[in-house]
Amino acid sequence: MKEKIEAIKAAVREQIDNAEALQDVQNIRVKYLGKKGELTAVMKELGKLSKEERPAVGQLVNTARTKIEAALADRMEELKQHEMEQKIQSEKIDITLPGRKPVLGHMHPLHLTRRCMENAFLKMGFSIAEGPEIEDDYYNFQCLNFPDDHPARDMQDSMYITDKILLRTHTSPMQARTLQAHNPNEPVKVIVPGKVYRWDYDATHSPVFHQMEGLIVDKGIRFSDLKGMLEDFLREIFGPETKVRFRASFFPFTEPSAEVDISCVMCGGKGCRVCSHTGWLEILGCGMVHPNVLRLNGYDPDKVSGFAFGMGVERIAMLKYGIDDLRLFYEDDMRFLNQF
Amino acid sequence: MKSSLRWMKEYVDVDTTKDPQIFADIMTVAGVPVEQVECWGTDIKNIYTGRILKIIKHPDADHLVICQMDMGDKELTIVTGAPNVREGQVVPVAIHGAILPGGVKIKKSKLRGQVSEGMLCSAHELGFDDSLLLPEERNGIWILPDNTPVGVDAVDFLGLKDTVYEYELTPNRADCFSMVGLSREFAVLGNTTAKYPSIEVDECEQSISGNVIVTNEAPELCNRFASRLLLNVKIGKSPLWMQQRLRKSGVRPINNVVDATNYVMLELGIPMHAYDYDKVSGHHLIPRRARNGEVLKTLDGVERILTSEMLVIADPDKACGVAGVMGGFETEVTGKTTAVILEAASFKGSTIRKTGRALGLRSEASARFERGIDAEGCIASLDRCAQLLQKMGACDVARGIIDIYPEPQPVTRISFTVQQINAYLGTDIPGDQMVSILKTLEFGIEQGDNDSITAIVPSWRGDCTEMADISEEVARIYGYENIQSTRPWSNISEGEEGYHHEVTEKVSEILSACGLNETVTFSFMNHESLKKLLFPAEDPLYTAVPILNPITEEFPLMRTTLLPSLMDMLVRNQAVKNNAVAAYEIASVYIPKQLPITELPYEKKQVAGVLYGLRDTGIWPGKIAKYDFYDVKGIVETVLEELGISADLESTEFAPFHPGKAAKFVKDGKILAQFGELHPAVIDNYDIAGPVYAFEMYLDVMIPYIDFIGNYKKVAKFPAISRDLAFLAPVGTANSDIQEILIKDGGEYLESVHLFDMYQGKQVPKNYKSMAYSLTFRSAETTLTDENIQMYIDSMLEDLKNNLDCTLR
């Protein structure tokens, strides 16, 4: 019987080695370990042995069974592995074929830029206010300390609807409207994004463009606050390394006034074509709210002070995205818009 | 305003060894912006003065001559083609090894076989633009004054090496429109003091009074008119130094009298005019309004038609000049002039500006008057001009001045405290420093009680009227860069976006997520576009806000609908062969309250969009697909759904749309949105490829119905039962009619109804279509069985059969 067991073990080993499919392994199991299997048959014959022989042979059979079970299991695992590999191999696809892209729309770069600016100011506590694009001369000029015969009032610079109503030339009339909507000397902190209009149409001027105005009025607002806040804003938009320069300037509705430059975003201040080799880019105008503007709109410059600023969204968008032609914004070519 | 640094050094110490850009930056940051720094003659060399000793004809060339030149220490032979050379003249000579502006190198060479040891130079070749030269100076060698020393370095003698700053002055700084004004700024910024020309005139016996009369008939436009009389005038060239200074300031030298007036304008900032005394009738000058239609030939030879809005200086017979803009031809100073009336006056800036615009004339003088000049400076200017001409030996100066100045400019006094200014600026600048800054800017200072200081504003600083102006003067000279950066203290700490803004942003996000690109177009339109869009003549959209001075003929109106702009956008995109255009715009339309406009119109936010061409461009693995009606409908539905608005669908008769392929969403009788395929006639009118689908949404109408958050619905716990039912329906049956019955009969458990297939063809009888719906039933309390829903299905089938002739397939 010992020989028989050894023979079975040898046969099984050989057959397992030759098994090429999971079914083959299954068949071997049935053939030797099944109810009518050869090893099972040996087991059944144990009864014929003497009491003395039985335990030893019995153990042999059991050991053989365990070993065969293990060998079958191993082979089974091997073949499964192999089959998986083959399956994976056969399922290989051309990953260089194009992906299925969902069609996404794109917001206009002016909108994206405006939003970026709005978010920066919202974080600083400014609220968004929007005003009419068709505006009274009163709000557009008078309340902002523009003298009656200021050149901006000429037909050549503004688009007029009547002699008293025009397309607003800046977002600043909302300074007057906002102050007038508050009780005298109440604190105000708003930004005003919106379309503005000038009678100017060439490669570098659009008759319709976008500005963002800012106004803060409260007790004890200082010129140094204006500096700090606009520096924070510009570094948020153009990066923390941006250098900011304040230059004395003039606007009828601020005093002192400043023009603000940032270090050129293209060359970092070394000088290039974009910054006309000065290293600086003019980015916004600002200043302390002119005492006359406070007075004209019901506030008392002896009690409160404030600052205001205004900037072009197009200018900032052009610098942010490196767009070199203003006209691209209004041509709305899909090939342009798809890039944002 | 252009100014030469060499000239500037006459008034103020300037370290010319420093990079000229440094001064430019200092001035710019302090509010006197330098637009450009021109470095003249940086590379030129080896140009000397030489006298022409002898001229002989070139043996082999008709148009060339050979000049024997005295160069002081040697003689040179130079061949030239210039027609204006004569023996005895002194001219600039570029010798062998010379470099001219622009880097041109001059070498000894042979011209038609004759040796030439250099080149005689024209002013143009030495860097002066033709516009700065008289016509006779443009085409020949630069003939220098007879008394010019020979053999000296012409680069130095002619001041060819110089730095010229071009300023782009802000309107408030009229005072910087002069060398003296700029020097004052240079001085205060360079921590030094400026010295100004000492002005003295030697008057002769004869008096102006009785020889010149001035009557001011327009004091509202001319607040000062001062004049001097110059006698025994000898017209000639002005000295070379004066000519060179004028040229560097961009002014062409003409003759001594005109040059002197221009020189004084550049030096002191007050434009002047010179009249030929003998051409002024009655020697009587009258500032007055022009008569409507009055004609004046200006000194450029052009006949100008004037209006009563313009100021002229006239004599009793005629206008002699457009005040502050351009003199008259007839009274111009010429070679024959022997007596001159000099004028220094102050005119109203806005009148000068409007006149200049109307006549298409702008000059150095008008630019100064537009900003406003210092009327107090008129007398000094007259005296300076007389002094300069007298020094040249060009005239005698009659005794006295006629000065019409009825209301002298008041002196402005501003009181402030040091604390006040520091609190305003957020600085800690010592009082002495403030005072010193103001003194250097020539403000008078009076120290008062309780730390109060009174600044007396100089006459040329009309822009300074109160404490804020003083704080600007202090801040800009102290240096904006030296002011610390702080953050404002404020009662307001939280910003609010605002509901309308939030809604607009949300709509934009939804449409972009739907695959549409956002566009930005101009806010204008014209009536023709509305016609092309088939709006009937009586449509209220034609009632638009007209612009008095539109930017182009194409855009005379403010738009009342966004569609025309989007159509133009589509035309542009088709022109560049973009085959997939899905785009929207969110912007205002402008609706007049009445015409003509007397009050501000309504501005309403609208959303509009167009779809054209390919929804799927067919790039593998996609399949080529074109936009259709259901795309535009789906987009509008998505926006409404995302905004939480439920509305009723109705057909629409919106003119631009195909009547059979258009619909609108309505709520409470108000139209929220309209959409559809553009009418084929619209496609024809625009001569574009179709079909095009479009939508308009009226945000102002939608806003009250928007419910961003909606009510949360519990996620179902029990399983649903689904039934797919396919019906044979007569071809004309509307989906909505079938759905209406399915929903009505669906009972309490019906959760949703979706059309999932629609078929018309071989498999179904003629004039019928198959409509297949997927119905979902669900209970919140229990698991449903077929029995629970069968009764509902039965009544659906019955109603569909009876009402719509629809049968189960």
Side-chain angles (χ1 to χ4, degrees):
Chain A
M1 259 176 127
K2 243 185 183 171
E3 294 76 44
K4 214 168 179 180
I5 291 166
E6 284 308 316
I8 288 172
K9 273 167 79 179
V12 168
R13 196 166 302 122
E14 193 193 333
Q15 285 178 32
I16 284 178
D17 286 347
N18 292 334
E20 281 179 350
L22 291 173
Q23 194 53 49
D24 297 344
V25 180
Q26 204 54 46
N27 292 345
I28 298 167
R29 180 192 300 279
V30 172
K31 187 172 174 197
Y32 295 98
L33 304 182
K35 277 180 186 166
K36 292 173 184 170
E38 290 179 29
L39 194 65
T40 317
V42 175
M43 197 69 139
K44 283 175 186 164
E45 282 172 30
L46 278 181
K48 294 174 188 169
L49 293 177
S50 66
K51 256 187 185 169
E52 294 74 30
E53 281 175 308
R54 208 179 295 160
V57 177
Q59 198 172 359
L60 270 181
V61 175
N62 275 333
T63 315
R65 187 179 176 94
T66 313
K67 279 196 174 158
I68 291 169
E69 289 273 14
L72 284 169
D74 286 353
R75 185 61 180 159
M76 190 80 110
E77 194 50 43
E78 261 176 52
L79 288 173
K80 268 191 186 158
Q81 196 73 39
H82 182 66
E83 245 173 48
M84 182 60 84
E85 274 165 23
Q86 275 191 329
K87 180 175 150 72
I88 283 170
Q89 192 62 34
S90 69
E91 282 174 357
K92 188 178 173 189
I93 58 165
D94 181 357
I95 54 154
T96 67
L97 286 170
R100 187 179 284 112
K101 289 184 196 156
V103 178
L104 293 181
H106 303 262
M107 283 189 196
H108 198 280
L110 291 175
H111 183 174
L112 295 170
T113 306
R114 191 198 78 209
R115 222 149 87 143
C116 218
M117 294 159 68
E118 284 170 355
N119 287 340
F121 284 120
L122 281 167
K123 275 193 272 178
M124 295 183 194
F126 285 85
S127 293
I128 298 177
E130 288 172 291
E133 293 167 29
I134 300 179
E135 187 55 284
D136 279 318
D137 176 279
Y138 170 73
Y139 290 111
N140 195 76
F141 292 126
Q142 246 170 281
C143 296
L144 294 171
N145 199 35
F146 276 81
D148 265 343
D149 52 12
H150 191 276
R153 290 186 164 198
D154 279 7
M155 290 282 281
Q156 282 81 356
D157 292 316
S158 311
M159 271 179 265
Y160 275 87
I161 304 299
T162 71
D163 61 344
K164 286 273 161 266
I165 297 175
L166 74 163
L167 302 186
R168 67 175 175 191
T169 56
H170 45 194
T171 41
S172 313
M174 270 308 277
Q175 287 192 29
R177 283 182 178 272
T178 306
L179 291 175
Q180 291 188 20
H182 282 76
N183 290 323
N185 305 329
E186 241 177 20
V188 158
K189 196 172 178 185
V190 292
I191 51 164
V192 187
K195 281 194 171 79
V196 298
Y197 301 83
R198 302 262 173 99
W199 209 99
D200 223 345
Y201 198 5
D202 57 37
T204 56
H205 296 91
S206 168
V208 184
F209 59 103
H210 299 78
Q211 276 190 346
M212 187 173 293
E213 188 82 6
L215 172 70
I216 174 167
V217 175
D218 209 335
K219 285 190 186 108
I221 300 287
R222 305 159 295 178
F223 185 82
S224 57
D225 297 329
L226 159 72
K227 262 191 91 179
M229 193 162 251
L230 288 177
E231 279 168 2
D232 289 349
F233 167 76
L234 290 168
R235 296 203 173 108
E236 168 135 6
I237 297 291
F238 293 106
E241 304 304 316
T242 309
K243 288 200 264 312
V244 181
R245 174 172 91 163
F246 286 73
R247 282 188 282 118
S249 190
F250 170 75
F251 306 105
F253 41 105
T254 51
E255 185 78 17
S257 304
E259 199 102 47
V260 182
D261 300 335
I262 54 166
S263 47
C264 179
V265 294
M266 302 296 161
C267 64
K270 285 189 222 77
C272 68
R273 194 184 52 81
V274 173
C275 57
S276 311
H277 304 282
T278 62
W280 295 102
L281 294 168
E282 199 173 305
I283 202 78
L284 63 84
C286 61
M288 296 296 283
V289 179
H290 198 291
N292 283 345
V293 173
L294 292 173
R295 282 181 206 116
L296 287 164
N297 297 289
Y299 277 56
D300 180 353
D302 290 332
K303 299 209 169 105
V304 290
S305 55
F307 63 76
F309 52 85
M311 59 195 105
V313 180
E314 276 80 354
R315 170 97 171 137
I316 293 180
M318 287 174 90
L319 294 174
K320 258 183 89 72
Y321 294 108
I323 295 166
D324 56 2
D325 187 351
L326 179 73
R327 291 169 293 195
L328 289 169
F329 289 129
Y330 319 103
E331 276 167 7
D332 292 311
D333 189 320
M334 295 298 134
R335 294 168 298 177
F336 173 73
L337 296 175
N338 282 334
Q339 297 175 42
F340 297 95
Chain B
M1 166 91 195
K2 280 181 158 191
S3 83
S4 133
L5 194 58
R6 281 173 80 107
W7 186 2
M8 181 80 83
K9 281 174 72 180
E10 189 158 299
Y11 314 106
V12 65
D13 280 337
V14 181
D15 180 357
T16 39
T17 58
K18 277 194 186 161
D19 180 356
Q21 186 64 45
I22 293 173
F23 297 118
D25 288 345
I26 291 171
M27 295 289 275
T28 299
V29 168
V32 188
V34 175
E35 182 74 2
Q36 214 182 332
V37 180
E38 293 173 18
C39 294
W40 288 45
T42 43
D43 46 356
I44 64 175
K45 61 174 185 183
N46 284 341
I47 303 162
Y48 296 91
T49 56
R51 186 183 298 277
I52 304 171
L53 296 173
K54 200 163 186 229
I55 299 176
I56 55 168
K57 289 189 80 177
H58 190 292
D60 300 317
D62 289 344
H63 63 285
L64 294 179
V65 293
I66 302 165
C67 300
Q68 198 59 33
M69 301 300 301
D70 171 10
M71 299 304 295
D73 55 348
K74 61 183 172 219
E75 288 190 9
L76 293 176
T77 304
I78 292 174
V79 179
T80 181
N84 68 332
V85 288
R86 303 287 178 270
E87 287 174 3
Q89 288 170 337
V90 182
V91 298
V93 183
I95 63 167
H96 177 74
I99 298 175
L100 299 184
V104 179
K105 289 185 183 131
I106 301 302
K107 282 186 209 142
K108 190 169 162 181
S109 62
K110 276 188 178 175
L111 277 170
R112 292 283 185 99
Q114 296 296 316
V115 171
S116 182
E117 297 173 287
M119 186 178 101
L120 307 187
C121 302
S122 69
H124 185 93
E125 282 157 342
L126 293 178
F128 292 94
D129 193 85
D130 275 348
S131 65
L132 299 173
L133 305 171
L134 290 172
E136 63 268 26
E137 294 168 334
R138 285 175 203 163
N139 301 312
I141 301 306
W142 191 354
I143 310 302
L144 302 176
D146 279 346
N147 58 1
T148 305
V150 169
V152 300
D153 185 344
V155 175
D156 190 48
F157 184 76
L158 296 172
L160 299 182
K161 270 198 211 303
D162 201 350
T163 302
V164 174
Y165 293 111
E166 183 166 6
Y167 295 91
E168 187 65 50
L169 298 168
T170 53
N172 59 325
R173 296 306 304 276
D175 63 300
C176 288
F177 239 122
S178 67
M179 295 304 290
V180 159
L182 289 169
S183 303
R184 194 181 296 122
E185 292 289 315
F186 252 72
V188 67
L189 292 166
N191 229 340
T192 169
T193 43
K195 50 186 184 302
Y196 304 126
S198 66
I199 302 173
E200 282 161 26
V201 188
D202 260 341
E203 296 179 333
C204 65
E205 274 301 298
Q206 202 171 339
S207 167
I208 186 170
S209 91
N211 290 310
V212 174
I213 309 165
V214 178
T215 326
N216 188 356
E217 290 183 1
E220 74 282 11
L221 303 182
C222 170
N223 68 331
R224 186 171 201 177
F225 193 98
S227 46
R228 261 198 182 279
L229 175 61
L230 308 180
L231 303 165
N232 303 320
V233 172
K234 292 174 274 298
I235 299 295
K237 284 202 168 186
S238 59
L240 191 60
W241 62 266
M242 182 179 276
Q243 291 187 28
Q244 288 298 77
R245 285 178 178 182
L246 292 176
R247 286 194 180 106
K248 286 175 192 169
S249 301
V251 175
R252 181 170 71 204
I254 293 172
N255 60 45
N256 46 7
V257 171
V258 173
D259 291 359
T261 60
N262 282 333
Y263 185 87
V264 172
M265 169 182 73
L266 294 171
E267 185 178 52
L268 303 179
I270 313 267
M272 303 183 68
H273 191 67
Y275 302 87
D276 185 328
Y277 178 76
D278 295 315
K279 304 273 177 64
V280 176
S281 300
H283 315 308
H284 183 180
L285 288 176
I286 309 160
R288 63 159 167 85
R289 283 175 185 272
R291 297 181 190 98
N292 275 324
E294 188 171 0
V295 177
L296 168 67
K297 189 169 169 188
T298 44
L299 49 78
D300 54 1
V302 179
E303 297 212 325
R304 311 278 175 177
I305 299 162
L306 311 176
T307 73
S308 63
E309 296 298 299
M310 301 172 180
L311 180 69
V312 292
I313 308 302
D315 64 23
D317 299 336
K318 61 186 182 292
C320 301
V322 186
V325 178
M326 195 179 263
F329 187 81
E330 213 174 313
T331 51
E332 188 188 3
V333 172
T334 66
K336 292 175 193 149
T337 302
T338 57
V340 161
I341 307 174
L342 277 184
E343 160 200 305
S346 166
F347 306 122
K348 192 176 176 190
S350 56
T351 302
I352 302 300
R353 194 182 69 245
K354 284 173 190 154
T355 304
R357 276 239 162 112
L359 299 178
L361 277 175
R362 273 197 101 236
S363 60
E364 287 279 338
S366 68
R368 284 171 176 79
F369 282 120
E370 282 176 20
R371 285 174 160 83
I373 61 148
D374 173 21
E376 290 292 315
C378 288
I379 304 302
S381 302
L382 282 178
D383 287 351
R384 176 66 169 158
C385 188
Q387 175 193 25
L388 287 167
L389 285 166
Q390 205 167 34
K391 252 195 196 164
M392 294 176 209
C395 69
D396 292 330
V397 181
R399 188 159 42 80
I401 287 171
I402 293 181
D403 183 14
I404 314 285
Y405 189 28
E407 278 181 59
Q409 202 172 296
V411 175
T412 308
R413 304 164 69 87
I414 304 170
S415 292
F416 63 92
T417 66
V418 173
Q419 293 84 331
Q420 216 179 355
I421 289 194
N422 277 326
Y424 197 57
L425 296 175
T427 49
D428 199 12
I429 305 170
D432 315 351
Q433 200 177 344
M434 289 188 193
V435 166
S436 145
I437 287 170
L438 291 170
K439 277 185 171 166
T440 321
L441 289 169
E442 296 176 50
F443 282 77
I445 293 292
E446 285 170 7
Q447 299 273 2
D449 303 335
N450 307 325
D451 302 333
S452 115
I453 297 172
T454 301
I456 300 149
V457 180
S459 59
W460 54 84
R461 289 305 302 270
D463 59 310
C464 290
T465 59
E466 58 182 307
M467 186 279 289
D469 302 308
I470 297 294
S471 76
E472 178 172 80
E473 292 308 300
V474 169
R476 72 183 184 88
I477 303 302
Y478 177 73
Y480 281 6
E481 74 276 17
N482 296 324
I483 296 175
Q484 60 179 338
S485 297
T486 57
R487 309 296 174 270
W489 175 88
S490 168
N491 275 322
I492 301 169
S493 57
E494 208 173 308
E496 282 173 23
E497 186 183 356
Y499 188 62
H500 284 224
H501 191 270
E502 204 182 318
V503 166
T504 315
E505 289 298 302
K506 178 79 183 169
V507 171
S508 187
E509 277 163 22
I510 299 165
L511 288 170
S512 298
C514 287
L516 278 69
N517 281 340
E518 185 183 12
T519 61
V520 172
T521 59
F522 290 170
S523 320
F524 314 125
M525 67 165 194
N526 55 45
H527 276 156
E528 193 50 38
S529 318
L530 296 178
K531 279 186 210 153
K532 280 157 91 175
L533 285 164
L534 308 179
F535 288 109
E538 65 279 8
D539 197 291
L541 291 179
Y542 286 90
T543 309
V545 179
I547 303 165
L548 288 179
N549 55 333
I551 194 82
T552 72
E553 291 298 308
E554 202 189 336
F555 290 140
L557 303 169
M558 296 304 286
R559 60 187 172 187
T560 51
T561 154
L562 304 181
L563 283 181
S565 313
L566 288 179
M567 291 308 291
D568 292 343
M569 179 276 296
L570 182 60
V571 168
R572 289 194 295 274
N573 273 284
Q574 287 200 0
V576 294
K577 306 269 184 280
N578 287 335
N579 59 6
V581 180
Y584 71 96
E585 177 161 18
I586 305 180
S588 290
V589 298
Y590 313 87
I591 312 294
K593 288 180 183 155
Q594 74 288 309
L595 287 182
I597 301 288
T598 54
E599 56 185 318
L600 299 187
Y602 296 110
E603 293 186 23
K604 298 179 174 180
K605 275 265 164 69
Q606 292 196 354
V607 189
V610 292
L611 302 174
Y612 155 75
L614 302 177
R615 177 186 54 205
D616 190 327
T617 51
I619 293 172
W620 191 95
K623 284 207 175 62
I624 202 155
K626 285 189 151 193
Y627 284 111
D628 64 24
F629 175 83
Y630 300 103
D631 288 309
V632 72
K633 185 181 179 197
I635 287 164
V636 173
E637 285 173 330
T638 303
V639 172
L640 293 176
E641 260 168 44
E642 291 293 309
L643 297 179
I645 301 175
S646 62
D648 300 324
L649 183 74
E650 291 177 9
S651 62
T652 181
E653 283 163 19
F654 194 53
F657 291 158
H658 185 309
K661 298 182 183 175
K664 62 186 176 219
F665 279 107
V666 179
K667 185 141 185 148
D668 300 339
K670 286 175 269 188
I671 301 175
L672 304 183
Q674 314 201 67
F675 57 91
E677 181 180 324
L678 287 184
H679 198 290
V682 173
I683 303 296
D684 287 348
N685 289 342
Y686 276 93
D687 194 19
I688 52 172
V692 175
Y693 303 89
F695 64 85
E696 272 197 347
M697 290 189 243
Y698 312 106
L699 273 184
D700 57 318
V701 187
M702 287 158 69
I703 275 181
Y705 299 113
I706 293 175
D707 180 8
F708 274 140
I709 303 169
N711 281 328
Y712 153 76
K713 289 196 193 89
K714 276 187 183 162
V715 178
K717 278 185 194 153
F718 295 95
I721 294 185
S722 292
R723 282 294 178 84
D724 289 351
L725 302 174
F727 303 103
L728 272 183
V731 161
T733 315
N735 166 56
S736 62
D737 293 339
I738 299 176
Q739 286 213 10
E740 198 180 309
I741 290 177
L742 296 179
I743 291 163
K744 177 173 69 72
D745 293 345
E748 57 186 311
Y749 302 131
L750 183 66
E751 190 178 67
S752 66
V753 177
H754 294 297
L755 177 73
F756 70 91
D757 189 34
M758 196 169 68
Y759 176 77
Q760 208 174 335
K762 280 185 192 159
Q763 314 292 327
V764 294
K766 202 166 177 253
N767 295 330
Y768 278 87
K769 58 183 176 182
S770 164
M771 305 280 281
Y773 293 87
S774 169
L775 284 65
T776 305
F777 296 88
R778 195 195 302 270
S779 158
E781 283 92 31
T782 176
T783 302
L784 294 178
T785 62
D786 285 349
E787 292 87 76
N788 293 128
I789 61 166
Q790 194 53 49
M791 55 179 285
Y792 301 117
I793 302 236
D794 292 343
S795 58
M796 286 176 189
L797 296 180
E798 195 181 325
D799 276 349
L800 282 171
K801 173 83 194 115
N802 295 341
N803 297 327
L804 299 175
D805 186 24
C806 292
T807 49
L808 201 59
R809 270 184 87 192

